Amino acid sequence: MATEKSALSPKTWPFSVSLLPQQAYLVGGSVRDALLHRQADYLDLDFVLPERAIATAKSIAQHYSAGFVVLDTEHQIARVVFPHATVDFAQQVGPTIYSDLQRRDFTINAIAYSPHSETLLDPLDGCADLARKTLCMVAAENLEDDPLRLLRAYRQAAQLGFSLDPTTQQTIRGLAPALGRMAAERVRGELDCLLSQPEGSILLSLAWQDGLLQTWLPEVDRIHLDRLATIDQLAAQYHERWPDFSYLLHSWVKEQTPPGLHRSWLKAVKLSQLLPPDLASAETTLAKLKYSRAEQQAVLSILRGWQYLHQHQSDTLLPPGQQYQLFRTAGASFGGVALLSLAYGMPEALILPLVERYLTPNDPVAHPQPLVTGKDLVQGLALKPGPKIGELLEAVHLAQAEGLVSSREEALEWVKRQL
């Protein structure tokens, strides 16, 4: 049944199957993805055990000197972390594996695999729904018990390229207000998943139509959602036309982020379009959704940069001084500002030269190198330390961007004239 590269093959696991009890079952997304022949670089496995789930996880962790953490003592859930895999162990819900599968969200996630007998358990016909590429709920009460599953339906449909079963979709519409009582962090996680993939924009629009976004993102309307699609289209175009720009859009403040956090400038641009237009209200919404301070500032910098560009842009390229101010305002978020400007219809001839400057590390306008320091001004011009020094240094940067000075000596002479 399983190929050597499949998650259904114990040969791919970071531990020996002999350490699992006979009644252990692999469940959830790893089974689903294996049956769909979807492979991931990082292995994420979920096992259900009839008893001693935490003890089994701890024993395996100790055997391989792997990381170990108890996630939920009451429900007997623990995690073992290997270098290239995360393995969760949970005690089954109910007296049998069949009762456990009946409690799951969608039929395609309610398929179990026994590694010892190498057989599938599919009491809810999840394999048939996989073949139909349809997301079908197990039961309405399962969605009501955990309303985050309402939004997760659209996320999984986007990830898998599936459609929603009509009865399931109608049930979600009726339960939509319940999403408002979910923890903000959990809602944010599903939202980020949708924003981080091109297919997510279509499903996010469908979720909005079905009433799921109104509680958390009341400002969203059809125009906002159409702009997300435009942003995705532009990102795809520049992936082909300008790989360096595409790499910038898919990067973040730091080169690497922890798995599952879905951080990129592209996602931040899309998120910025789901927020209220004024910065104070936008910041309030981001805080409500429990975004980190760094993510909040990234999104707000995109909005500030866009507002500056929108206010100063004409039918010609910004003059160097205004370009410098734009780069200062946007900071590391400039790639996002550029993409958003293009999505609003600004001509490439006015935006792409700015992107070229930003991508050039030694560009004197986008990345000016200091010609003088505060110490130079204090000692060389006999000035007193204070806020005035910072103002003069900023003025020198601007003069440098405008081509008025290009050396330490010219900068000091220019400051003398200003005084």
Side-chain angles (χ1 to χ4, degrees), residues 2-17 26 30 34 38-45 47 82 84-87 113 115:
T3 68
E4 290 192 0
K5 292 185 178 181
S6 168
L8 299 186
S9 170
K11 292 182 179 180
T12 67
W13 300 352
F15 64 94
S16 172
V17 68
L26 182 66
S30 55
R38 288 166 53 92
Q39 294 184 6
D41 295 332
Y42 190 85
L43 200 59
D44 193 353
L45 304 175
F47 288 92
F82 295 91
H84 301 290
T86 296
V87 187
Y113 174 72

Side-chain angles (χ1 to χ4, degrees), residues 83-411:
H84 301 290
T86 296
V87 187
D88 286 356
F89 297 85
Q91 187 160 310
Q92 70 186 23
V93 178
T96 67
I97 183 62
Y98 294 97
S99 60
D100 184 280
L101 297 178
Q102 289 282 353
R103 298 291 300 273
R104 297 186 175 267
D105 50 7
F106 308 107
T107 59
I108 62 171
N109 299 325
I111 306 170
Y113 174 72
S114 169
H116 289 293
S117 65
E118 297 186 359
T119 56
L120 284 175
L121 292 182
D122 184 20
L124 299 166
D125 292 328
C127 288
D129 288 333
L130 287 176
R132 294 191 301 127
K133 294 187 174 182
T134 302
L135 204 68
C136 182
M137 65 182 177
V138 171
E141 54 266 31
N142 294 3
L143 302 184
E144 190 171 10
D145 288 343
D146 183 2
L148 189 70
R149 291 171 169 177
L150 305 174
L151 188 55
R152 187 177 297 155
Y154 300 82
R155 187 259 290 176
Q156 292 197 1
Q159 286 179 325
L160 301 174
F162 280 25
S163 61
L164 291 176
D165 166 71
T167 301
T168 299
Q169 189 173 1
Q170 185 61 41
T171 299
I172 290 173
R173 291 191 190 110
L175 295 173
L179 187 65
R181 69 172 189 258
M182 287 292 94
E185 295 89 345
R186 299 183 71 201
V187 174
R188 183 198 67 218
E190 297 295 335
L191 182 62
D192 280 351
C193 288
L194 283 162
L195 290 171
S196 296
Q197 49 190 325
E199 302 83 359
S201 295
I202 297 173
L203 272 298
L204 198 60
S205 179
L206 187 60
W208 172 74
Q209 291 179 31
D210 291 340
L212 281 175
L213 304 186
Q214 281 71 356
T215 299
W216 292 96
L217 297 167
E219 303 287 336
V220 172
D221 60 22
R222 171 56 58 192
I223 295 175
H224 295 102
L225 295 165
D226 288 345
R227 191 167 294 120
L228 294 190
T230 301
I231 292 170
D232 285 329
Q233 292 168 7
L234 287 169
Q237 291 175 21
Y238 289 113
H239 181 73
E240 299 296 330
R241 292 173 50 195
W242 198 354
D244 287 348
F245 185 25
S246 178
Y247 178 82
L248 173 64
L249 294 174
H250 288 86
S251 66
W252 186 235
V253 181
K254 297 181 180 179
E255 289 187 3
Q256 294 183 342
T257 58
L261 289 187
H262 305 286
R263 290 173 177 169
S264 72
W265 292 114
L266 176 56
K267 189 213 78 175
V269 173
K270 294 163 72 173
L271 176 59
S272 75
Q273 297 309 288
L274 302 180
L275 303 174
D278 66 286
L279 293 176
S281 297
E283 186 172 11
T284 298
T285 299
L286 290 168
K288 178 182 177 183
L289 283 164
K290 303 297 184 182
Y291 278 97
S292 69
R293 191 60 184 163
E295 289 176 284
Q296 291 181 41
Q297 289 305 311
V299 174
L300 294 174
S301 292
I302 290 173
L303 293 174
R304 289 191 191 97
W306 153 245
Q307 290 176 2
Y308 181 91
L309 186 55
H310 181 65
Q311 291 166 4
H312 293 86
Q313 190 63 65
S314 62
D315 55 357
T316 60
L317 194 64
L318 287 178
Q322 290 184 354
Q323 290 183 32
Y324 167 76
Q325 295 291 1
L326 171 61
F327 288 125
R328 287 279 290 173
T329 300
S333 71
F334 177 75
V337 174
L339 182 64
L340 184 57
S341 302
L342 293 165
Y344 270 90
M346 286 192 175
E348 283 190 337
L350 304 182
I351 302 300
L352 297 192
L354 300 178
V355 176
E356 187 67 56
R357 298 203 87 140
Y358 185 79
L359 291 173
T360 304
N362 60 351
D363 185 90
V365 177
H367 309 288
Q369 299 301 310
L371 298 176
V372 292
T373 65
K375 184 178 180 180
D376 291 331
L377 299 184
V378 171
Q379 295 182 351
L381 301 179
L383 297 176
K384 294 182 179 180
K388 183 66 175 178
I389 298 297
E391 295 172 6
L392 287 171
L393 290 174
E394 180 64 22
V396 171
H397 281 313
L398 181 58
Q400 181 182 359
E402 293 175 337
L404 300 178
V405 297
S406 59
S407 68
R408 178 179 181 277
E409 292 72 21
E410 289 178 359

